[in-house]
Amino acid sequence: RMDQALLLVRNELPAQGLRLAALSGACHQCMYQFLAFVPPSNGSLRNPGMTAVMVDTQHPLALLLNSSVGDREFCKIQYHFGEFGNYSLVVKTLSTSTKTVSCELVINEGPINSYLPILFAFLVYMGILAILIVGHLFMKIDPVRNWVYNKLNPRETDHLINSELGSPNTTDSISSDPTPPLWSTASRQRLRSLDAFRGLSLIIMVFVNYGGGKYWFFKHESWNGKLYFPSALFSRFVFIMGTSISLSLSSMLKRGSSKRKVLGKILWRSFLLILLGIIVVNPNYCLGPLSWDNVRIPGVLQRLGFTYLVVAALELLFTRARAESGTLETPCPALQDILPYWPQWIFILMLEVIWLCLTFLLPVPGCPRGYLGPGGIGDFGNYPNCTGGAAGYIDRLLLGEKHIYQHPSSSVIYQTTMPYDPEGILGTINTIFMAFLGLQAGKIILFYKDQHKQIMSRFVIWSVVTGIISAILTKCSKEEGFIPINKNLWSISYVTTTSCFAFILLLLIYYLVDVKRLWSGAPFFYPGMNSILVYIGHEVFENYFPFKWKMQDSQSHAEHLTQNLTATTLWVIVSYVLYRRRIFWKV
């Protein structure tokens, strides 16, 4: 099967049965798991004991061979098997006098290169990009450009887009300075970099949710670990949501909307996001009525809705017009975009204190205090029912086991049996912190207006600061830090690490799209403009043609990758068509 290899264990030891166990290299502090019993040889090399087992090829494996009687260890082998490979492990006696046993791993049939489909897909998309670049060059020819513009009539679309909330322009500047504003005519347009950032995160999220070609590195980390693509996507979406909050609230208030009216919009939007989230994560299309006993309450949109409510209300409550004008004098110029918002920072720090206290001080029955592990066979199997520690306990206590996610990513490698929700209650605190850091990015854009060097330098500073905090919390290690990086827990180190990269990514896109205008943000700009529609649409129509079809070979990475890339590309096309038709779904 996919991500598996065949291992034939050949036992040439007479009267010695063997026990084969394996340990995944991705499983931290785990116990060896029994795979198979290998019968002894009948004394003839022509009739050895034989057993065939399937072994995992996603991560390196440690194989342990013990005697079935007395637990004598014969050999231990570490090897990274290849997908669809055929291997033999031959166990024999080298010397009858010393009873020395050797274990030799033989490749009977070499594995396939399962990464070639990725290379092929990359070349295809590079070819498409080359065609688009050539088309862009043709657009510089006046007759061609005039004909296309007359057909597509983009001015009306641009007018509609720039009337949407969230574009810092001349009227958004909250300055009492009578001097002419510094915004150029081009700067009056919506910041395309924000939509490109949002769209990039969203499209990769859609690809991953559709399966990511069934490659292991396009899946979420089992527990603690490196930040592969999937682990950082949701956090970047949260980050840019915080940035948009700062710009949109500034736009609404400068257009004369009262705080009460704005608060009403915040409450309504949060309610809709949470409601849509509950509907999306509990599909029952052709399965009959959904039982209320099994409704999953947490989810991505639910967390986005609650985070939006807290961060937007916090910004609305403590917003200070003069602080955003760039003219407010502060005792420390280096902190002039932070000090005016000290009440907000105190609130956020109080939330972090609550998270730390609940995580490390809350007593969890049957678990050590402050436990952050995956449970299951992790930590040598001492705490099998402690998945997520306090975070999992709070969800099970307040929501009930049947109302949270039943198949956490830790269940594969760590073999956890407890339900655990990565979008649970306790982790929402740090999601608020993540959105608040994004809010800070939006304040920097407003505060420094079109002072590009100042904006980009502040992004660099914030990236360095959050990166240093991450290095301290994790001790620059995967498992040995004070607070490891963990997407399931939404640990503080996860937030600071993903924020570090989010500031850098936003800086690069801002520089390319809005400063130098070397890139229009396409094609990610279009789904970024209809992010809620694309996200909900890809969830609802996930199992419908043309986003999914019956495969000829369900064990082929190439077919899965083709299907997932096709579905993702279709959503980009849908968002582009909606953009050209001036259809934008705002919640």
Side-chain angles (χ1 to χ4, degrees), residues 493-504:
S493 56
Y494 169 78
V495 170
T496 54
T497 303
T498 52
S499 295
C500 170
F501 292 112
F503 274 110
I504 290 296

Side-chain angles (χ1 to χ4, degrees), residues 358-390:
L358 290 175
T359 300
F360 292 100
L361 300 180
L362 180 69
V364 179
C367 307
R369 189 165 297 186
Y371 182 72
L372 299 176
I377 64 173
D379 300 294
F380 306 110
N382 293 323
Y383 317 110
N385 298 323
C386 296
T387 304

Side-chain angles (χ1 to χ4, degrees), residues 221-357:
E221 188 73 24
S222 292
W223 203 248
N224 299 334
K226 302 175 183 178
L227 289 177
Y228 297 115
F229 276 124
S231 300
L233 295 176
F234 185 27
S235 62
R236 287 205 293 263
F237 204 81
V238 172
F239 180 89
I240 204 64
M241 181 184 72
T243 306
S244 301
I245 287 174
S246 178
L247 304 183
S248 62
L249 290 186
S250 172
S251 177
M252 285 189 283
L253 292 175
K254 294 318 296 176
R255 288 210 302 265
S257 298
S258 66
K259 285 193 174 184
R260 173 178 290 185
K261 183 178 179 180
V262 174
L263 179 61
K265 290 184 177 180
I266 292 172
L267 292 172
W268 177 244
R269 188 182 192 210
S270 301
F271 169 75
L272 287 180
L273 285 172
I274 294 172
L275 179 62
L276 288 172
I278 293 177
I279 294 174
V280 167
V281 299
N282 293 286
N284 64 318
Y285 311 122
C286 302
L287 303 179
L290 181 68
S291 172
W292 289 105
D293 295 334
N294 300 313
V295 170
R296 181 187 172 192
I297 298 176
V300 171
L301 289 178
Q302 297 92 306
R303 179 171 283 193
L304 283 175
F306 187 78
T307 300
Y308 175 82
L309 173 63
V310 174
V311 176
L314 184 66
E315 174 68 1
L316 182 66
L317 180 62
F318 294 105
T319 186
R320 297 176 60 180
R322 283 177 56 83
E324 291 181 0
S325 68
T327 61
L328 186 64
E329 295 184 0
T330 59
C332 182
L335 302 176
Q336 57 185 345
D337 57 338
I338 300 176
L339 292 180
Y341 311 103
W342 63 267
Q344 296 176 345
W345 280 99
I346 290 178
F347 178 81
I348 293 297
L349 291 176
M350 288 176 60
L351 287 181
E352 289 306 313
V353 170
I354 292 173
W355 183 86
L356 288 170
C357 290

Side-chain angles (χ1 to χ4, degrees), residues 21-35 61 222-223 371 373-387 409-418:
L23 174 63
S24 171
C27 198
H28 180 63
Q29 292 185 343
C30 294
M31 303 179 296
Y32 277 89
Q33 299 300 298
F34 174 77
L35 287 183
L61 283 183
S222 292
W223 203 248
Y371 182 72
I377 64 173
D379 300 294
F380 306 110
N382 293 323
Y383 317 110
N385 298 323
C386 296
T387 304
S409 59
S410 58
S411 61
V412 178
I413 289 182
Y414 288 96
Q415 300 180 21
T416 56
T417 57
M418 297 293 291

Side-chain angles (χ1 to χ4, degrees), residues 59-75:
H59 307 284
L61 283 183
L63 298 177
L64 179 64
L65 275 170
N66 288 338
S67 170
S68 59
V69 180
D71 280 341
R72 177 191 170 189
E73 181 178 317
F74 286 119
C75 58

Side-chain angles (χ1 to χ4, degrees), residues 544-556:
Y544 291 86
F545 182 82
F547 304 102
K548 194 172 186 178
W549 58 84
K550 185 177 181 179
M551 298 182 182
Q552 293 183 351
D553 183 6
S554 62
Q555 299 303 314
S556 167

